[in-house]
């Protein structure tokens, strides 16, 4: 009886240690994922403040998207959506086939000026490739009103990015 009691207590203690370790690891992974998403959301917000992006014009925005994508290999694509929810331009992964998934995020950015993150999106024609979309509003330039206070209007567009899910997994491993 004593041996069984000691073995049972030892097994229970080991189980508790495993659970504690799993909780600690999941906390670290959650923090790293949150930091990665926040960092990339900050990149989008910085881009959204650039005059080239605020113009919501393909020819003006394209070089900025291209340059940003080259400097940030973690991004698989960037896209710019106009005030009516129309795709203005993109660089990298083509967003057109993914628009049904992206549209609610872009719509929220355009209506409420809110940034958003999608769930995992499978890329068409590939069972393995998946991305996560981030979207941020593009606000008009602040202009001085007659009272001298800056005025911000309705978003003039939305800018988005695709993050490679596999790359995220590797970064968290």
């Amino acid at each position: 009886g004593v041996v069984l009691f000691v073995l049972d207590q030892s097994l229970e203690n080991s189980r508790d240690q495993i659970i504690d370790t799993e909780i600690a690891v999941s906390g670290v992974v959650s923090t790293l994922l949150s930091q990665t998403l926040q960092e990339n959301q900050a990149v989008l917000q910085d881009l959204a403040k650039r005059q080239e992006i605020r113009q919501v014009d393909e020819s003006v925005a394209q070089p900025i998207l291209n340059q940003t994508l080259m400097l940030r290999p973690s991004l698989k694509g960037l896209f710019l959506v106009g005030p009516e929810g129309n795709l203005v331009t993109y660089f990298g992964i083509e967003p057109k086939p993914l628009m049904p998934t992206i549209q609610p995020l872009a719509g929220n950015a355009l209506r409420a000026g809110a940034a958003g993150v999608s769930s995992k999106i499978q890329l068409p024609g590939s069972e393995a490739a998946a991305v996560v979309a981030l979207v941020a509003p593009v606000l008009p330039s602040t202009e001085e009103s007659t009272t001298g206070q800056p005025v911000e209007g309705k978003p003039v567009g939305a800018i988005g990015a695709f993050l490679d899910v596999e790359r995220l997994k590797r970064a968290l491993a």
Side-chain angles (χ1 to χ4, degrees):
V2 173
V3 172
L4 286 177
F5 176 77
V6 170
L7 285 175
D8 183 54
Q9 289 299 310
S10 176
L11 182 62
E12 194 171 313
N13 197 21
S14 295
R15 197 173 317 133
D16 289 345
Q17 285 178 334
I18 289 171
I19 290 170
D20 289 345
T21 302
E22 285 177 351
I23 290 170
V25 168
S26 68
V28 169
V29 168
S30 174
T31 300
L32 286 172
L33 182 58
S34 180
Q35 287 173 343
T36 301
L37 293 176
Q38 286 173 355
E39 177 187 316
N40 285 293
Q41 197 67 268
V43 168
L44 286 182
Q45 288 166 346
D46 288 344
L47 279 172
K49 292 175 186 169
R50 295 194 57 160
Q51 199 53 44
E52 299 93 331
I53 300 299
R54 284 179 168 161
Q55 290 178 32
V56 191
D57 179 284
E58 178 179 7
S59 61
V60 180
Q62 189 76 29
I64 301 301
L65 298 183
N66 181 6
Q67 179 186 27
T68 303
L69 205 57
M70 288 172 57
L71 294 173
R72 293 205 152 260
S74 62
L75 300 179
K76 287 291 165 208
L78 288 163
F79 56 93
L80 184 60
V81 175
E84 305 303 316
N86 54 311
L87 182 62
V88 174
T89 189
Y90 69 93
F91 206 85
I93 291 175
E94 184 182 353
K96 273 193 182 108
L98 309 175
M99 285 312 276
T101 309
I102 299 166
Q103 206 65 50
L105 291 172
N108 203 23
L110 291 169
R111 280 188 316 277
V117 181
S118 75
S119 55
K120 185 169 110 173
I121 305 169
Q122 284 301 129
L123 294 178
S126 171
E127 290 186 21
V131 293
V132 171
L134 303 173
V135 178
V138 177
L139 298 170
S141 301
T142 50
E143 298 169 0
E144 292 294 320
S145 71
T146 53
T147 61
Q149 297 296 314
V151 176
E152 287 199 18
K154 184 176 186 276
V156 294
I159 187 161
F162 294 116
L163 296 176
D164 183 6
V165 170
E166 273 308 306
R167 191 177 182 111
L168 283 172
K169 284 181 185 175
R170 285 194 306 272
L172 300 175

